[in-house]
Amino acid sequence: MKKPNNRRKANRMCLAPGTAAEAASATPRPAFGPAVDPIHLEPVDEVEITILVDNVYDALLGGDERTRRAPFSVGAEPAPHFEEGESFVGLVAEHGFSALVTIKRLGHTSSLLFDTGLSPKGMVVNADRLGVRFDDLQAVVLSHGHFDHAGGLAGLAGRRRASTMPMLVHPEVWTRRRVLLPGSGIQPFPTVSKKALRQEGFDVVERRVPSLLLDESVLITGEVDRTTEFERGMPPSHEAWTGERWAHDAKIIDDQALVVNLRGHGLVVLTGCGHAGAVNIVRHALRLTQVDRLHALIGGLHLSGPAFEPIIPPTITALAQFAPSLVVPGHCTGWRAQHALAAALPSAWVPSSSGTSLHLEGAPPEVPAPAPRMCDKGGRSPRSDGRRWTGRKGI
């Protein structure tokens, strides 16, 4: 797999368009052993991931030193049937996902948005109630083209301070898709429009291969190698338009994840839906970066429903072997998988919720060893055998 061009201006993405050769090299395939051309992912000192949109909002969830929850009341609205004339409001929960990722490295802080939720207003409403601003946002990344990850782009378009905003997507994110629902017939999915996004000022960048963002400290995986036997993707009811006909779309080839290397602890992997398979994604990230540890897995794992519940046991068995310190499954993971993950990884599992903020700190940078002294306290050069020179001849 080709390595992205690492020479660019600060905080800029790799902007070169993908070529046919890159597309061929990124086609998911069984891949084992170390990457032929691994990607150096700069370690970060801190990473904070704020879940702006998730399927659940629970105001009673507790936090800890790394998990901050939204308060019970994040605002108030008029309500004349109360004596006070107003009532508390919480956060929006909807079948979608969005996360604000902020990294700190060498004293510099940068942020990007990973997915935007389902509805045009849900993400920005939650951001307003949480006090999150998009003024310093440096990029937007779409994990894939499903509407429950791109719906909030309309709301974001009206909140940007900059006239243009870099947006990184896979070239297949524009694919028309539909699902065949038993008893309900065909349900077309809303399709993301490249033309509309460009008119709104988004600088759309399409890449199949991995990309490095924010001074080479955030990796977007590009297409994920599929190496497990059990993560087979979507059932036949999920279809895509090929340009000539509707066909089974099992892989959702545009699915990609976000990866950060937390100094001294290992990789933090953020998924939107994890359509490539949670285990495939982790394996791919470890292989690309040559980092040997998974520290955290956060986001949708798509283990919900009868088509995916049978692979919950092998998925959890494989994830447990990585021994992550933190697992925060959300969105499309499903309640059966949540219970199974909580039982299998009790010290790592943390429930997700709209408004949850995960603050992860890396290990302190290694302090270089002091240079060897060339003279002892008396000003004499030390002997190579550790004994002091005395100045006497022959010693």
Side-chain angles (χ1 to χ4, degrees):
M1 181 174 290
K2 284 190 177 183
K3 185 176 180 179
N5 180 7
N6 293 341
R7 302 298 177 216
R8 63 192 187 288
K9 294 181 180 180
N11 291 327
R12 292 293 301 276
M13 300 189 299
C14 299
L15 298 181
T19 65
E22 287 178 325
S25 71
T27 301
R29 63 207 181 279
F32 302 94
V36 175
D37 189 9
I39 294 172
H40 176 69
L41 182 59
E42 292 287 350
V44 304
D45 302 313
E46 299 177 25
V47 58
E48 183 164 280
I49 298 175
T50 299
I51 309 299
L52 293 178
V53 176
D54 206 342
N55 290 34
V56 172
Y57 169 60
D58 187 343
L60 299 180
L61 288 174
D64 53 33
E65 67 279 359
R66 63 186 179 186
T67 308
R68 185 174 69 249
R69 305 292 190 178
F72 187 85
S73 168
V74 291
E77 290 186 355
H81 57 287
F82 287 106
E83 291 188 2
E84 294 79 7
E86 62 180 18
S87 182
F88 295 148
V89 295
L91 296 176
V92 174
E94 58 185 21
H95 184 86
F97 187 77
S98 176
L100 179 69
V101 180
T102 302
I103 62 102
K104 186 174 183 179
R105 177 173 173 266
L106 303 177
H108 180 71
T109 300
S110 306
S111 63
L112 61 80
L113 188 64
F114 185 75
D115 288 346
T116 64
L118 173 70
S119 66
K121 296 181 179 179
M123 181 192 69
V124 293
V125 166
N126 284 352
D128 288 344
R129 293 176 181 177
L130 292 169
V132 171
R133 297 178 62 85
F134 298 115
D135 293 348
D136 298 322
L137 197 63
Q138 290 163 294
V140 180
V141 177
L142 289 186
S143 65
H144 63 298
H146 277 166
F147 60 95
D148 51 331
H149 297 258
L153 287 170
L156 177 64
R159 299 299 183 92
R160 300 189 329 273
R161 183 176 63 180
S163 58
T164 61
M165 172 69 66
M167 175 185 289
L168 181 63
V169 302
H170 185 282
E172 301 300 321
V173 78
W174 324 111
T175 301
R176 291 173 57 198
R177 291 180 166 116
R178 69 182 189 180
V179 64
L180 308 178
L181 299 174
S184 302
I186 297 172
Q187 175 62 64
F189 286 174
T191 306
V192 182
S193 168
K194 183 193 303 187
K195 179 181 178 180
L197 291 178
R198 285 179 169 167
Q199 289 176 342
E200 289 284 0
F202 291 103
D203 183 9
V204 178
V205 180
E206 301 179 27
R207 289 185 63 86
R208 294 178 180 270
V209 295
S211 299
L212 288 170
L213 284 62
L214 306 186
D215 292 331
E216 303 176 11
S217 59
V218 172
L219 169 68
I220 306 302
T221 60
E223 293 179 11
V224 174
D225 290 330
R226 317 292 171 108
T227 58
T228 67
E229 295 181 354
F230 54 88
E231 292 171 312
R232 299 182 180 273
M234 298 293 281
S237 59
H238 185 268
E239 296 183 336
W241 179 249
T242 66
E244 297 179 351
R245 63 185 179 89
W246 289 98
H248 178 204
D249 181 21
K251 289 183 175 179
I252 308 184
I253 205 68
D254 44 318
D255 184 77
Q256 53 187 351
L258 181 149
V259 184
V260 174
N261 182 10
L262 187 62
R263 186 188 305 278
H265 294 301
L267 298 185
V268 176
V269 177
L270 178 65
T271 67
C273 267
H275 285 298
V279 180
N280 280 331
I281 291 169
V282 172
R283 285 182 179 180
H284 188 73
L286 293 170
R287 181 173 178 272
L288 278 182
T289 62
Q290 296 296 280
V291 175
D292 61 1
R293 284 181 289 175
L294 172 67
H295 181 67
L297 177 62
I298 302 165
L301 306 184
H302 216 285
L303 294 169
S304 180
F308 295 95
E309 288 172 359
I311 71 168
I312 291 174
T315 298
I316 292 178
T317 297
L319 289 178
Q321 293 175 354
F322 295 120
S325 299
L326 179 65
V327 176
V328 190
H331 184 37
C332 52
T333 301
W335 69 270
R336 292 185 188 275
Q338 292 279 13
H339 282 271
L341 284 163
L345 299 166
S347 62
W349 179 81
V350 171
S352 183
S353 172
S354 291
T356 293
S357 185
L358 304 156
H359 185 85
L360 308 177
E361 296 187 2
E366 294 184 4
V367 179
R373 294 211 313 256
M374 299 307 297
C375 295
D376 67 6
K377 291 183 179 179
R380 296 181 290 270
S381 298
R383 292 171 58 109
S384 60
D385 60 4
R387 296 166 53 196
R388 287 187 179 181
W389 289 103
T390 63
R392 290 185 292 171
K393 187 176 181 179
I395 300 178

